[in-house]
Amino acid sequence: MTATPNAPDLTAGSAPLAMRPTLAGLNHVISAGHYLATQAGMNVLQAGGNAADAGVAAGIALGVVQSDIVNFGGVAPCLFHDAQTGKTWSISGLGYWPRAARLETFLERHGGTIPAGILRTVIPAAPDAWITALERFGTMSFGEVAASAIRLARDGFVMYPLMAEVLAEHEEDYRRWPSNAAIYLPNGKPPAAGSLFLQADLAASLQYMADQERAYARQGRAAGLDAARRAFYRDDIAAAIVDYHRAEGGLLTHEDLRDFSVEVEPALATDFHGTQVYSCGFWCQGPSLLQMLNTVHGCDLKALGHNSAAYVHLLTEAIKLAFADREAHYADPRHTRVPQAELLSMAYARQRLALIDMQRAGPDMPAPGSLPDARSIAARRASDGDSARTDPRLDTSYVAVVDRHGNAFSATPSDGSYNTPVIPGTGLCASGRGSQSWAEAGHPCAIGPGRRPRLTPSPSLAVRPGQYVMPFGTPGGDVQCQAMLQTFLNVEVFGMDLQQAIEAPRFATFSFPSSFEPHTMQPGRLMIEDLIPRQVGDTLAGMGHAVKWWRDRNWRAGAMCAVRHDVETGIRWGGADPRRPAYALGW
């Protein structure tokens, strides 16, 4: 592994020198939200696996070493770029509401809220997403890619400061359910950083799936993978989930689990000056990144200067416009008419750009585009003391891989363990992603049987034909697309290497309804890392933005990971965000 040459001179602005080198590999590179997950993926790559195999291995491991914010029974949207065909595919990795879900229940019994706990449960999608990725694009067995995760759960790993802090902060949340407390409050209290953390039941669940796969291995790899899937969705794990829901007033049934499958479809894309940027579908927030890029496509961003007041203002207003459309138009396309072509058209983007006043901040919640089925947006203001809107800790992780063949994998697994019960005896939670639906009649993302919530996790992937392939992404809830936008532009417009682009100071607006229950907003709020000069913030405040400051490189601003394969040289580069325990490895 070697460092890149000195960072380029940024003629329109500057960014601090990187704290870490951008790593290089001639065969494969992986970057993930925790260093042990990165190592799990690297083990698979070194054993001959491809990008899908390694990405799945890292993703499952993230559900062990970051099980406060990622769950094996959660969500896992993925992108896979096939180097041989040049096609990029999306795997939905998002479950839907059970058949028994009724909006009226939440309106009449819960006052139009979606309470924390078992009623937020949608069908767990991550297991099927991982197995589908292996079936469609991988080469190895479930047992082979899950081996590191099983070992980390069974034998334990060393508790690290950020997870210890999260568990301590949510101690009372974990105490609500004995099954959660038994794991996350060993000996009756949160584990300290530096202690050994074990998850025996989770190890047993993963091992059970691997054992079931092995029992059918003689019938071929496909039969084995299907047996692993059945172990979760039909056999013992499914029985444990359904029995718990039946006993505790939940909604999941055997039929819900049995009939579930993720979708594999061509990824959405937009062209940014010759680079194709890909996203999953409108069931997640991913297309908002494409809309942001379309909006600023015709602007001379370099001339504005990197992280100048004008640059931050333009991107902030473009983000607000995209999120207004997200609020009004994004939803599960299987149940709602989404004007996909119009939202992603350049003609529409030019109309939206014309609404931006470069001298003044626009409305706190801009109107969405007047497209078919446009709706007004109800903006509920967060209280002055509500820090949850700018404190998106309990969210998600990420993994990016490029293998020796040039295939690329990008995935954003998620779902935490503090606001939904662990299914006793399994060590895992059934996805609580129902928190990203709305208990509101007429909302495009309203609760309903078979309907998917509007997901924040949204991996991305960029391809510049003949030059590079770059999977990239981050955790961070509503910050995700904002951090990805800035990091991509740092590379594409300002010529930064990956690590410098990732570490460069960031900002994020919260002037829109949150994707999470109770969907409040903080009008005008613009958070800025204080590595950006104070005078920039003062200028933005004078333009009408409600500026607040994050200290240093802050984990609240996301945790970007990226891998870039330079096709001409054959070198793969990797970067990972020091804002969280993310690391890259290359060979």
Side-chain angles (χ1 to χ4, degrees):
M1 295 181 287
T2 60
T4 56
N6 292 332
D9 178 34
L10 303 178
T11 57
S14 62
L17 294 176
M19 299 165 64
R20 302 175 181 174
T22 297
L23 301 183
L26 294 177
N27 295 291
H28 38 244
V29 170
I30 178 171
S31 181
H34 190 280
Y35 46 88
L36 290 174
T38 300
Q39 185 61 59
M42 178 57 78
N43 291 344
V44 165
L45 290 167
Q46 295 289 70
N50 70 6
D53 300 319
V56 172
I60 297 173
L62 287 169
V64 176
V65 298
Q66 291 186 312
S67 61
D68 54 331
I69 57 175
V70 178
N71 205 277
F72 181 72
V75 300
C78 310
L79 294 172
F80 181 81
H81 177 74
D82 188 321
Q84 186 171 6
T85 65
K87 294 182 178 179
T88 301
W89 298 90
S90 163
I91 301 174
S92 59
L94 170 61
Y96 42 77
W97 282 92
R99 288 177 173 85
R102 296 291 181 272
L103 174 61
E104 294 74 19
T105 301
F106 293 87
L107 293 175
E108 296 168 5
R109 300 183 187 176
H110 302 285
T113 66
I114 307 173
I118 199 167
L119 288 180
R120 287 187 177 180
T121 304
V122 297
I123 300 171
D128 190 49
W130 298 136
I131 293 169
T132 298
L134 294 175
E135 283 178 332
R136 290 288 298 268
F137 308 115
T139 65
M140 300 178 80
S141 69
F142 176 86
E144 288 173 316
V145 302
S148 291
I150 292 170
R151 187 165 60 250
L152 289 165
R154 182 192 64 222
D155 300 340
F157 63 91
V158 178
M159 178 60 60
Y160 51 96
L162 182 57
M163 184 172 178
E165 182 183 340
V166 170
L167 298 181
E169 183 175 319
H170 289 272
E171 178 176 353
E172 293 310 310
D173 294 321
Y174 282 106
R175 289 194 190 283
R176 284 183 290 180
W177 299 285
S179 52
N180 297 53
I183 298 168
Y184 295 101
L185 305 176
N187 303 313
K189 60 183 180 181
S195 62
L196 184 65
F197 186 64
L198 303 170
Q199 297 169 89
D201 286 346
L202 179 55
S205 293
L206 296 172
Q207 187 64 60
Y208 169 66
M209 294 175 68
D211 290 345
Q212 291 298 102
E213 176 187 53
R214 189 178 302 110
Y216 286 83
R218 290 183 181 178
Q219 299 179 25
R221 179 171 175 270
L225 289 171
D226 192 53
R229 180 187 284 111
R230 285 200 309 274
F232 187 96
Y233 288 95
R234 296 194 179 202
D235 297 338
D236 290 4
I237 298 174
I241 294 172
V242 172
D243 288 349
Y244 185 77
H245 270 250
R246 187 181 295 121
E248 299 296 325
L251 303 175
L252 274 181
T253 66
H254 280 290
E255 291 73 25
D256 291 321
L257 292 168
R258 180 198 64 202
D259 296 340
F260 177 76
S261 62
V262 298
E263 296 180 349
V264 181
E265 56 193 352
L268 299 179
T270 196
D271 181 279
F272 188 81
H273 300 289
T275 298
Q276 299 296 308
V277 182
Y278 291 91
S279 164
C280 295
F282 280 88
W283 43 265
C284 75
Q285 69 166 332
S288 65
L289 172 62
L290 310 186
Q291 284 196 254
M292 295 169 197
L293 289 168
N294 286 350
T295 302
V296 301
H297 182 277
C299 302
D300 190 346
L301 300 174
K302 196 166 187 178
L304 293 177
H306 182 257
N307 280 351
S308 67
Y311 180 79
V312 175
H313 170 74
L314 173 62
L315 264 59
T316 297
E317 295 301 302
I319 291 164
K320 288 161 60 177
L321 288 167
F323 281 170
D325 281 336
R326 184 188 72 168
E327 179 66 17
H329 298 295
Y330 289 28
D332 187 344
R334 301 176 310 165
H335 294 269
T336 303
R337 183 185 182 280
V338 180
Q340 302 186 35
E342 294 95 330
L343 287 167
L344 295 181
S345 75
M346 291 305 300
Y348 178 70
R350 287 190 290 270
Q351 294 175 21
R352 301 296 274 168
L353 176 63
L355 299 175
I356 297 177
D357 182 342
M358 285 301 292
Q359 305 304 315
R360 294 292 302 170
D364 295 328
M365 186 70 259
S370 31
L371 300 170
D373 303 319
R375 58 183 293 276
S376 61
I377 297 172
R380 289 178 288 179
R381 184 181 183 121
S383 65
D384 292 339
D386 182 3
S387 63
R389 288 289 283 113
T390 56
D391 192 7
R393 173 181 295 176
L394 295 156
D395 43 21
T396 306
S397 196
Y398 177 74
V399 56
V401 191
V402 176
D403 64 24
R404 65 190 182 280
H405 307 294
N407 302 312
F409 186 83
S410 181
T412 313
S414 189
D415 284 355
S417 53
Y418 78 101
N419 65 356
T420 197
V422 170
I423 304 300
T426 69
L428 55 85
C429 301
S431 178
R433 192 51 62 163
S435 63
Q436 295 197 306
S437 289
W438 270 254
E440 178 184 324
H443 195 284
C445 298
I447 296 164
R451 298 173 70 97
R452 289 176 287 190
R454 193 192 73 208
L455 188 65
T456 45
S458 47
S460 194
L461 196 149
V463 178
R464 193 167 184 89
Q467 295 189 33
Y468 75 80
V469 175
M470 184 175 75
F472 63 104
T474 179
D478 289 318
V479 171
Q480 286 182 36
C481 289
Q482 303 189 58
M484 289 191 287
L485 172 70
Q486 293 168 66
T487 303
F488 174 77
L489 294 176
N490 289 346
V491 173
E492 189 79 359
V493 174
F494 295 101
M496 299 184 199
D497 67 39
L498 279 192
Q499 193 63 36
Q500 187 184 25
I502 287 168
E503 293 187 22
R506 293 200 284 265
F507 53 89
T509 174
F510 294 86
S511 190
F512 49 84
S514 169
S515 292
F516 296 88
E517 175 73 18
H519 307 297
T520 57
M521 67 179 289
Q522 291 184 319
R525 178 60 56 85
L526 179 60
M527 301 298 300
I528 306 176
E529 290 185 321
D530 63 9
L531 293 175
I532 293 176
R534 182 70 57 165
Q535 64 200 42
V536 170
D538 292 343
T539 301
L540 289 162
M543 299 168 75
H545 298 279
V547 173
K548 298 287 184 181
W549 296 90
W550 279 324
R551 185 177 179 182
D552 202 4
R553 294 179 179 88
N554 201 290
W555 54 257
R556 298 167 183 85
M560 288 292 308
C561 294
V563 174
R564 173 172 167 146
H565 173 208
D566 287 340
V567 176
E568 293 178 322
T569 66
I571 299 172
R572 288 104 168 115
W573 304 97
D577 208 323
R579 292 171 177 86
R580 301 198 194 184
Y583 271 83
L585 283 174
W587 186 257

